PDB file of all heavy atoms in Angstrom:
ATOM      1  N   LEU R 157      14.659  10.104   0.808  1.00 93.00           N
ATOM      2  CA  LEU R 157      14.351   8.720   1.166  1.00 93.00           C
ATOM      3  C   LEU R 157      13.699   7.936   0.030  1.00 93.00           C
ATOM      4  O   LEU R 157      14.035   6.786  -0.217  1.00 93.00           O
ATOM      5  CB  LEU R 157      13.376   8.685   2.350  1.00 93.00           C
ATOM      6  CG  LEU R 157      13.922   8.792   3.749  1.00 93.00           C
ATOM      7  CD1 LEU R 157      12.746   8.852   4.738  1.00 93.00           C
ATOM      8  CD2 LEU R 157      14.791   7.584   4.091  1.00 93.00           C
ATOM      9  N   THR R 158      12.757   8.594  -0.658  1.00 94.00           N
ATOM     10  CA  THR R 158      11.947   7.845  -1.632  1.00 94.00           C
ATOM     11  C   THR R 158      12.484   7.932  -3.062  1.00 94.00           C
ATOM     12  O   THR R 158      12.174   7.064  -3.879  1.00 94.00           O
ATOM     13  CB  THR R 158      10.491   8.366  -1.674  1.00 94.00           C
ATOM     14  OG1 THR R 158      10.511   9.727  -2.116  1.00 94.00           O
ATOM     15  CG2 THR R 158       9.825   8.254  -0.319  1.00 94.00           C
ATOM     16  N   ARG R 159      13.248   9.000  -3.345  1.00 96.00           N
ATOM     17  CA  ARG R 159      13.759   9.228  -4.704  1.00 96.00           C
ATOM     18  C   ARG R 159      12.638   9.074  -5.732  1.00 96.00           C
ATOM     19  O   ARG R 159      12.789   8.419  -6.763  1.00 96.00           O
ATOM     20  CB  ARG R 159      14.937   8.289  -4.980  1.00 96.00           C
ATOM     21  CG  ARG R 159      16.059   8.521  -3.962  1.00 96.00           C
ATOM     22  CD  ARG R 159      17.268   7.677  -4.196  1.00 96.00           C
ATOM     23  NE  ARG R 159      17.034   6.271  -3.910  1.00 96.00           N
ATOM     24  CZ  ARG R 159      18.002   5.349  -3.860  1.00 96.00           C
ATOM     25  NH1 ARG R 159      19.247   5.695  -4.085  1.00 96.00           N
ATOM     26  NH2 ARG R 159      17.721   4.095  -3.584  1.00 96.00           N
ATOM     27  N   SER R 160      11.508   9.700  -5.378  1.00 97.00           N
ATOM     28  CA  SER R 160      10.314   9.618  -6.231  1.00 97.00           C
ATOM     29  C   SER R 160      10.595  10.160  -7.622  1.00 97.00           C
ATOM     30  O   SER R 160      11.274  11.183  -7.769  1.00 97.00           O
ATOM     31  CB  SER R 160       9.188  10.435  -5.581  1.00 97.00           C
ATOM     32  OG  SER R 160       8.180  10.699  -6.517  1.00 97.00           O
ATOM     33  N   ARG R 161      10.013   9.516  -8.604  1.00 97.00           N
ATOM     34  CA  ARG R 161      10.220   9.999  -9.978  1.00 97.00           C
ATOM     35  C   ARG R 161       9.562  11.368 -10.200  1.00 97.00           C
ATOM     36  O   ARG R 161       9.825  12.035 -11.189  1.00 97.00           O
ATOM     37  CB  ARG R 161       9.720   8.966 -10.993  1.00 97.00           C
ATOM     38  CG  ARG R 161       8.232   8.944 -11.252  1.00 97.00           C
ATOM     39  CD  ARG R 161       7.892   8.274 -12.584  1.00 97.00           C
ATOM     40  NE  ARG R 161       7.757   6.851 -12.459  1.00 97.00           N
ATOM     41  CZ  ARG R 161       6.597   6.183 -12.589  1.00 97.00           C
ATOM     42  NH1 ARG R 161       5.475   6.833 -12.821  1.00 97.00           N
ATOM     43  NH2 ARG R 161       6.555   4.879 -12.470  1.00 97.00           N
ATOM     44  N   TYR R 162       8.697  11.785  -9.270  1.00 98.00           N
ATOM     45  CA  TYR R 162       8.034  13.083  -9.407  1.00 98.00           C
ATOM     46  C   TYR R 162       8.761  14.198  -8.658  1.00 98.00           C
ATOM     47  O   TYR R 162       8.259  15.308  -8.537  1.00 98.00           O
ATOM     48  CB  TYR R 162       6.572  12.979  -8.952  1.00 98.00           C
ATOM     49  CG  TYR R 162       5.839  11.921  -9.722  1.00 98.00           C
ATOM     50  CD1 TYR R 162       5.371  10.778  -9.093  1.00 98.00           C
ATOM     51  CD2 TYR R 162       5.645  12.054 -11.096  1.00 98.00           C
ATOM     52  CE1 TYR R 162       4.721   9.777  -9.811  1.00 98.00           C
ATOM     53  CE2 TYR R 162       5.002  11.052 -11.821  1.00 98.00           C
ATOM     54  CZ  TYR R 162       4.548   9.928 -11.176  1.00 98.00           C
ATOM     55  OH  TYR R 162       3.920   8.943 -11.890  1.00 98.00           O
ATOM     56  N   GLY R 163       9.935  13.871  -8.119  1.00 97.00           N
ATOM     57  CA  GLY R 163      10.790  14.901  -7.549  1.00 97.00           C
ATOM     58  C   GLY R 163      10.328  15.429  -6.204  1.00 97.00           C
ATOM     59  O   GLY R 163       9.494  14.825  -5.512  1.00 97.00           O
ATOM     60  N   ILE R 164      10.863  16.586  -5.851  1.00 97.00           N
ATOM     61  CA  ILE R 164      10.667  17.180  -4.530  1.00 97.00           C
ATOM     62  C   ILE R 164       9.190  17.514  -4.277  1.00 97.00           C
ATOM     63  O   ILE R 164       8.733  17.556  -3.137  1.00 97.00           O
ATOM     64  CB  ILE R 164      11.568  18.435  -4.384  1.00 97.00           C
ATOM     65  CG1 ILE R 164      11.660  18.908  -2.940  1.00 97.00           C
ATOM     66  CG2 ILE R 164      11.128  19.555  -5.286  1.00 97.00           C
ATOM     67  CD1 ILE R 164      12.898  18.495  -2.235  1.00 97.00           C
ATOM     68  N   GLU R 165       8.439  17.721  -5.353  1.00 97.00           N
ATOM     69  CA  GLU R 165       7.011  18.073  -5.191  1.00 97.00           C
ATOM     70  C   GLU R 165       6.168  16.887  -4.711  1.00 97.00           C
ATOM     71  O   GLU R 165       4.991  17.046  -4.389  1.00 97.00           O
ATOM     72  CB  GLU R 165       6.436  18.548  -6.522  1.00 97.00           C
ATOM     73  CG  GLU R 165       6.943  19.890  -6.946  1.00 97.00           C
ATOM     74  CD  GLU R 165       6.585  20.186  -8.388  1.00 97.00           C
ATOM     75  OE1 GLU R 165       5.637  19.556  -8.909  1.00 97.00           O
ATOM     76  OE2 GLU R 165       7.259  21.033  -8.983  1.00 97.00           O
ATOM     77  N   SER R 166       6.775  15.734  -4.651  1.00 98.00           N
ATOM     78  CA  SER R 166       6.022  14.533  -4.273  1.00 98.00           C
ATOM     79  C   SER R 166       5.418  14.639  -2.878  1.00 98.00           C
ATOM     80  O   SER R 166       4.330  14.111  -2.614  1.00 98.00           O
ATOM     81  CB  SER R 166       6.930  13.303  -4.332  1.00 98.00           C
ATOM     82  OG  SER R 166       7.415  13.133  -5.627  1.00 98.00           O
ATOM     83  N   TYR R 167       6.125  15.313  -1.990  1.00 98.00           N
ATOM     84  CA  TYR R 167       5.644  15.407  -0.604  1.00 98.00           C
ATOM     85  C   TYR R 167       4.324  16.167  -0.550  1.00 98.00           C
ATOM     86  O   TYR R 167       3.364  15.725   0.085  1.00 98.00           O
ATOM     87  CB  TYR R 167       6.706  16.088   0.254  1.00 98.00           C
ATOM     88  CG  TYR R 167       6.514  15.927   1.743  1.00 98.00           C
ATOM     89  CD1 TYR R 167       6.559  14.669   2.337  1.00 98.00           C
ATOM     90  CD2 TYR R 167       6.318  17.033   2.570  1.00 98.00           C
ATOM     91  CE1 TYR R 167       6.408  14.513   3.701  1.00 98.00           C
ATOM     92  CE2 TYR R 167       6.168  16.883   3.944  1.00 98.00           C
ATOM     93  CZ  TYR R 167       6.213  15.623   4.501  1.00 98.00           C
ATOM     94  OH  TYR R 167       6.076  15.468   5.858  1.00 98.00           O
ATOM     95  N   GLU R 168       4.269  17.304  -1.247  1.00 98.00           N
ATOM     96  CA  GLU R 168       3.008  18.061  -1.302  1.00 98.00           C
ATOM     97  C   GLU R 168       1.937  17.211  -1.980  1.00 98.00           C
ATOM     98  O   GLU R 168       0.769  17.219  -1.582  1.00 98.00           O
ATOM     99  CB  GLU R 168       3.192  19.381  -2.068  1.00 98.00           C
ATOM    100  CG  GLU R 168       3.742  20.524  -1.226  1.00 98.00           C
ATOM    101  CD  GLU R 168       3.048  20.697   0.123  1.00 98.00           C
ATOM    102  OE1 GLU R 168       1.814  20.814   0.151  1.00 98.00           O
ATOM    103  OE2 GLU R 168       3.752  20.693   1.157  1.00 98.00           O
ATOM    104  N   ALA R 169       2.357  16.436  -2.973  1.00 98.00           N
ATOM    105  CA  ALA R 169       1.397  15.608  -3.722  1.00 98.00           C
ATOM    106  C   ALA R 169       0.765  14.543  -2.826  1.00 98.00           C
ATOM    107  O   ALA R 169      -0.441  14.296  -2.904  1.00 98.00           O
ATOM    108  CB  ALA R 169       2.091  14.957  -4.915  1.00 98.00           C
ATOM    109  N   ILE R 170       1.547  13.944  -1.944  1.00 98.00           N
ATOM    110  CA  ILE R 170       0.948  12.888  -1.102  1.00 98.00           C
ATOM    111  C   ILE R 170       0.033  13.503  -0.035  1.00 98.00           C
ATOM    112  O   ILE R 170      -0.986  12.920   0.318  1.00 98.00           O
ATOM    113  CB  ILE R 170       1.995  11.929  -0.473  1.00 98.00           C
ATOM    114  CG1 ILE R 170       2.847  12.599   0.583  1.00 98.00           C
ATOM    115  CG2 ILE R 170       2.847  11.252  -1.520  1.00 98.00           C
ATOM    116  CD1 ILE R 170       3.550  11.599   1.496  1.00 98.00           C
ATOM    117  N   LYS R 171       0.400  14.696   0.435  1.00 98.00           N
ATOM    118  CA  LYS R 171      -0.465  15.350   1.432  1.00 98.00           C
ATOM    119  C   LYS R 171      -1.791  15.757   0.767  1.00 98.00           C
ATOM    120  O   LYS R 171      -2.868  15.599   1.341  1.00 98.00           O
ATOM    121  CB  LYS R 171       0.258  16.553   2.047  1.00 98.00           C
ATOM    122  CG  LYS R 171       1.434  16.130   2.928  1.00 98.00           C
ATOM    123  CD  LYS R 171       1.899  17.230   3.854  1.00 98.00           C
ATOM    124  CE  LYS R 171       2.629  18.311   3.122  1.00 98.00           C
ATOM    125  NZ  LYS R 171       3.106  19.382   4.010  1.00 98.00           N
ATOM    126  N   ASP R 172      -1.684  16.273  -0.431  1.00 98.00           N
ATOM    127  CA  ASP R 172      -2.884  16.662  -1.184  1.00 98.00           C
ATOM    128  C   ASP R 172      -3.764  15.433  -1.459  1.00 98.00           C
ATOM    129  O   ASP R 172      -4.992  15.483  -1.336  1.00 98.00           O
ATOM    130  CB  ASP R 172      -2.434  17.315  -2.505  1.00 98.00           C
ATOM    131  CG  ASP R 172      -3.602  17.810  -3.314  1.00 98.00           C
ATOM    132  OD1 ASP R 172      -4.335  18.680  -2.804  1.00 98.00           O
ATOM    133  OD2 ASP R 172      -3.821  17.310  -4.440  1.00 98.00           O
ATOM    134  N   PHE R 173      -3.101  14.327  -1.777  1.00 98.00           N
ATOM    135  CA  PHE R 173      -3.834  13.077  -2.022  1.00 98.00           C
ATOM    136  C   PHE R 173      -4.591  12.655  -0.762  1.00 98.00           C
ATOM    137  O   PHE R 173      -5.761  12.250  -0.827  1.00 98.00           O
ATOM    138  CB  PHE R 173      -2.848  11.980  -2.458  1.00 98.00           C
ATOM    139  CG  PHE R 173      -3.463  10.627  -2.599  1.00 98.00           C
ATOM    140  CD1 PHE R 173      -4.187  10.289  -3.735  1.00 98.00           C
ATOM    141  CD2 PHE R 173      -3.331   9.667  -1.595  1.00 98.00           C
ATOM    142  CE1 PHE R 173      -4.767   9.030  -3.869  1.00 98.00           C
ATOM    143  CE2 PHE R 173      -3.906   8.411  -1.721  1.00 98.00           C
ATOM    144  CZ  PHE R 173      -4.626   8.100  -2.864  1.00 98.00           C
ATOM    145  N   ALA R 174      -3.919  12.763   0.396  1.00 98.00           N
ATOM    146  CA  ALA R 174      -4.547  12.358   1.664  1.00 98.00           C
ATOM    147  C   ALA R 174      -5.831  13.157   1.904  1.00 98.00           C
ATOM    148  O   ALA R 174      -6.873  12.600   2.260  1.00 98.00           O
ATOM    149  CB  ALA R 174      -3.566  12.552   2.821  1.00 98.00           C
ATOM    150  N   VAL R 175      -5.750  14.470   1.686  1.00 98.00           N
ATOM    151  CA  VAL R 175      -6.918  15.330   1.912  1.00 98.00           C
ATOM    152  C   VAL R 175      -8.030  14.978   0.919  1.00 98.00           C
ATOM    153  O   VAL R 175      -9.202  14.874   1.282  1.00 98.00           O
ATOM    154  CB  VAL R 175      -6.507  16.819   1.786  1.00 98.00           C
ATOM    155  CG1 VAL R 175      -7.729  17.729   1.794  1.00 98.00           C
ATOM    156  CG2 VAL R 175      -5.555  17.202   2.918  1.00 98.00           C
ATOM    157  N   LYS R 176      -7.642  14.764  -0.327  1.00 98.00           N
ATOM    158  CA  LYS R 176      -8.661  14.494  -1.360  1.00 98.00           C
ATOM    159  C   LYS R 176      -9.318  13.130  -1.156  1.00 98.00           C
ATOM    160  O   LYS R 176     -10.532  12.993  -1.278  1.00 98.00           O
ATOM    161  CB  LYS R 176      -8.033  14.580  -2.743  1.00 98.00           C
ATOM    162  CG  LYS R 176      -7.683  16.027  -3.110  1.00 98.00           C
ATOM    163  CD  LYS R 176      -7.395  16.184  -4.576  1.00 98.00           C
ATOM    164  CE  LYS R 176      -7.413  17.667  -4.957  1.00 98.00           C
ATOM    165  NZ  LYS R 176      -6.171  18.125  -5.510  1.00 98.00           N
ATOM    166  N   VAL R 177      -8.524  12.131  -0.814  1.00 98.00           N
ATOM    167  CA  VAL R 177      -9.097  10.785  -0.692  1.00 98.00           C
ATOM    168  C   VAL R 177      -9.967  10.666   0.560  1.00 98.00           C
ATOM    169  O   VAL R 177     -10.886   9.851   0.618  1.00 98.00           O
ATOM    170  CB  VAL R 177      -7.976   9.702  -0.742  1.00 98.00           C
ATOM    171  CG1 VAL R 177      -7.280   9.510   0.588  1.00 98.00           C
ATOM    172  CG2 VAL R 177      -8.537   8.368  -1.254  1.00 98.00           C
ATOM    173  N   LYS R 178      -9.720  11.556   1.521  1.00 97.00           N
ATOM    174  CA  LYS R 178     -10.519  11.573   2.756  1.00 97.00           C
ATOM    175  C   LYS R 178     -11.997  11.882   2.474  1.00 97.00           C
ATOM    176  O   LYS R 178     -12.878  11.531   3.232  1.00 97.00           O
ATOM    177  CB  LYS R 178      -9.950  12.630   3.708  1.00 97.00           C
ATOM    178  CG  LYS R 178     -10.067  12.280   5.178  1.00 97.00           C
ATOM    179  CD  LYS R 178      -9.180  13.173   6.002  1.00 97.00           C
ATOM    180  CE  LYS R 178      -9.809  14.500   6.341  1.00 97.00           C
ATOM    181  NZ  LYS R 178     -10.952  14.473   7.222  1.00 97.00           N
ATOM    182  N   ARG R 179     -12.249  12.521   1.356  1.00 97.00           N
ATOM    183  CA  ARG R 179     -13.648  12.815   0.990  1.00 97.00           C
ATOM    184  C   ARG R 179     -14.414  11.525   0.695  1.00 97.00           C
ATOM    185  O   ARG R 179     -15.634  11.494   0.729  1.00 97.00           O
ATOM    186  CB  ARG R 179     -13.702  13.714  -0.264  1.00 97.00           C
ATOM    187  CG  ARG R 179     -13.079  15.079  -0.069  1.00 97.00           C
ATOM    188  CD  ARG R 179     -13.010  15.836  -1.380  1.00 97.00           C
ATOM    189  NE  ARG R 179     -12.163  15.168  -2.360  1.00 97.00           N
ATOM    190  CZ  ARG R 179     -11.964  15.594  -3.614  1.00 97.00           C
ATOM    191  NH1 ARG R 179     -12.568  16.672  -4.037  1.00 97.00           N
ATOM    192  NH2 ARG R 179     -11.175  14.926  -4.431  1.00 97.00           N
ATOM    193  N   TYR R 180     -13.686  10.483   0.361  1.00 98.00           N
ATOM    194  CA  TYR R 180     -14.343   9.254  -0.119  1.00 98.00           C
ATOM    195  C   TYR R 180     -14.108   8.023   0.739  1.00 98.00           C
ATOM    196  O   TYR R 180     -14.749   6.995   0.515  1.00 98.00           O
ATOM    197  CB  TYR R 180     -13.857   8.946  -1.540  1.00 98.00           C
ATOM    198  CG  TYR R 180     -14.088  10.087  -2.498  1.00 98.00           C
ATOM    199  CD1 TYR R 180     -13.017  10.763  -3.075  1.00 98.00           C
ATOM    200  CD2 TYR R 180     -15.378  10.498  -2.797  1.00 98.00           C
ATOM    201  CE1 TYR R 180     -13.231  11.821  -3.946  1.00 98.00           C
ATOM    202  CE2 TYR R 180     -15.604  11.559  -3.657  1.00 98.00           C
ATOM    203  CZ  TYR R 180     -14.525  12.215  -4.230  1.00 98.00           C
ATOM    204  OH  TYR R 180     -14.750  13.261  -5.079  1.00 98.00           O
TER     205      TYR R 180
END
Side-chain angles (χ1 to χ4, degrees):
L157 276 175
T158 63
R159 301 182 290 190
S160 163
R161 80 160 87 111
Y162 303 114
I164 193 100
E165 289 168 21
S166 300
Y167 195 63
E168 276 313 306
I170 69 162
K171 291 197 287 181
D172 183 61
F173 174 80
V175 171
K176 289 195 165 121
V177 81
K178 213 165 84 67
R179 297 173 297 178
Y180 304 115

